[in-house]
């Protein structure tokens, strides 16, 4: 685990991320808060590309909790059967849809606590929805962010909770809204797990990662 970088280096890193991609976006397809919630819940232990492929036809006919209930668990299962853990995910989607209809008038809540009370929705899922839909500076730490945070020293930590707090503490306020997207995309396409692309990395001169590739 790299030592934490100082404020000036972290500011420069995010200045470069911003210059390269001023408005980074999540890669899960959705049409509203509900479909975003479902897509993120389905993405656990699955790729965004795989979820998008499975939900393309689904979201053309289902975009509200009530429509999901009308579709039924069996039909939902058929739509998402290419996604890992699809049976359990289908059950959770149906349960959370029923709760949204019965307790929230079909509206996805904007509270982290309320979101996390829904079946199959953890802190990471809640943070993604809060960030992407309500533009709240919530930090959803996944494996990419955990890896990048520790390699670069931007937000080092031994678990995702510590890394999440480190982002909130270390990243300048002006970059908080998009911080987790920049880190995810950097980890997904540049700072890869097995073969990081250090020679073409825009922050290579600021990164203390000792095993830089050549």
């Amino acid at each position: 685990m790299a030592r934490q970088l100082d404020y000036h280096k972290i500011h420069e890193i995010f200045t470069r991320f911003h210059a390269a991609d001023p408005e980074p976006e999540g890669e899960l397809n959705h049409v509203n808060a509900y479909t975003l919630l479902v897509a993120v819940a389905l993405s656990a232990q699955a790729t965004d590309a795989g979820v998008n492929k499975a939900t393309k036809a689904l979201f053309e006919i289902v975009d509200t909790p009530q429509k999901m209930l009308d579709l039924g668990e069996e039909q939902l299962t058929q739509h998402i059967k290419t996604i890992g853990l699809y049976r359990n995910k289908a059950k959770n989607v149906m349960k959370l849809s029923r709760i949204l209809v019965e307790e929230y008038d079909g509206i996805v809540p904007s509270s982290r606590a309320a979101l996390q009370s829904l079946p199959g929705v953890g802190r990471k899922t809640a943070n993604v929805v809060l960030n992407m839909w309500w533009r709240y500076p919530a930090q959803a730490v996944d494996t990419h962010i955990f890896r990048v945070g520790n390699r670069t020293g931007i937000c080092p930590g031994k678990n995702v909770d510590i890394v999440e707090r480190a982002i909130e503490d270390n990243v300048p306020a002006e970059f908080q809204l998009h911080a987790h997207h920049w880190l995810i995309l950097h980890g997904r396409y540049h700072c890869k797990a097995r073969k990081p692309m250090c020679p073409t990395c825009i922050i290579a001169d600021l990164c203390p990662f000792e095993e830089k590739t050549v």
Side-chain angles (χ1 to χ4, degrees):
M1 184 171 69
R3 294 173 58 185
Q4 182 181 316
L5 294 181
D6 63 35
Y7 173 86
H8 297 291
K9 287 186 177 180
I10 293 175
H11 191 281
E12 175 60 22
I13 285 172
F14 282 93
T15 297
R16 294 182 190 183
F17 285 159
H18 177 269
D21 187 2
E23 290 289 331
E25 298 181 351
E27 297 185 322
L28 285 172
N29 294 336
H30 60 283
V31 297
N32 55 24
Y34 173 69
T35 53
L36 174 61
L37 174 62
V38 171
V40 179
L42 293 176
S43 71
Q45 299 182 28
T47 65
D48 287 0
V51 173
N52 288 340
K53 184 177 180 180
T55 58
K56 182 178 181 181
L58 174 66
F59 290 162
E60 289 177 356
I61 57 174
V62 172
D63 58 3
T64 69
Q66 185 59 59
K67 288 181 181 179
M68 186 67 77
L69 295 179
D70 294 340
L71 180 70
E73 185 176 329
E74 183 177 343
Q75 287 300 311
L76 171 59
T77 300
Q78 290 303 308
H79 277 280
I80 66 171
K81 63 183 179 181
T82 57
I83 301 175
L85 307 175
Y86 69 94
R87 292 191 186 280
N88 189 55
K89 290 177 179 179
K91 292 182 184 299
N92 283 334
V93 168
M94 299 308 296
K95 290 177 182 177
L96 72 83
S97 298
R98 186 165 299 283
I99 292 172
L100 290 176
V101 169
E102 295 179 350
E103 300 182 19
Y104 296 95
D105 295 323
I107 299 172
V108 176
S110 58
S111 155
R112 180 186 284 117
L115 287 167
Q116 286 189 244
S117 72
L118 299 171
V121 178
R123 185 178 180 88
K124 179 182 137 184
T125 297
N127 281 350
V128 172
V129 175
L130 290 171
N131 181 279
M132 289 181 63
W133 193 257
W134 284 285
R135 298 181 70 80
Y136 179 81
Q139 311 302 334
V141 178
D142 68 353
T143 56
H144 296 301
I145 292 182
F146 187 82
R147 179 174 67 255
V148 173
N150 280 292
R151 279 181 177 174
T152 63
I154 294 172
C155 45
K158 294 182 179 180
N159 59 56
V160 295
D161 293 330
I162 294 175
V163 170
E164 180 182 335
R165 289 196 295 273
I167 297 174
E168 294 172 345
D169 291 342
N170 302 340
V171 176
E174 64 195 281
F175 301 120
Q176 284 281 332
L177 178 61
H178 295 312
H180 94 275
H181 277 135
W182 280 316
L183 292 171
I184 287 173
L185 294 172
H186 190 66
R188 182 173 292 164
Y189 297 110
H190 300 283
C191 194
K192 300 177 181 180
R194 294 185 180 180
K195 293 183 179 181
M197 301 167 65
C198 300
T200 58
C201 176
I202 64 173
I203 62 168
D205 59 312
L206 300 169
C207 176
F209 182 50
E210 294 180 357
E211 301 176 17
K212 285 192 171 81
T213 61
V214 295

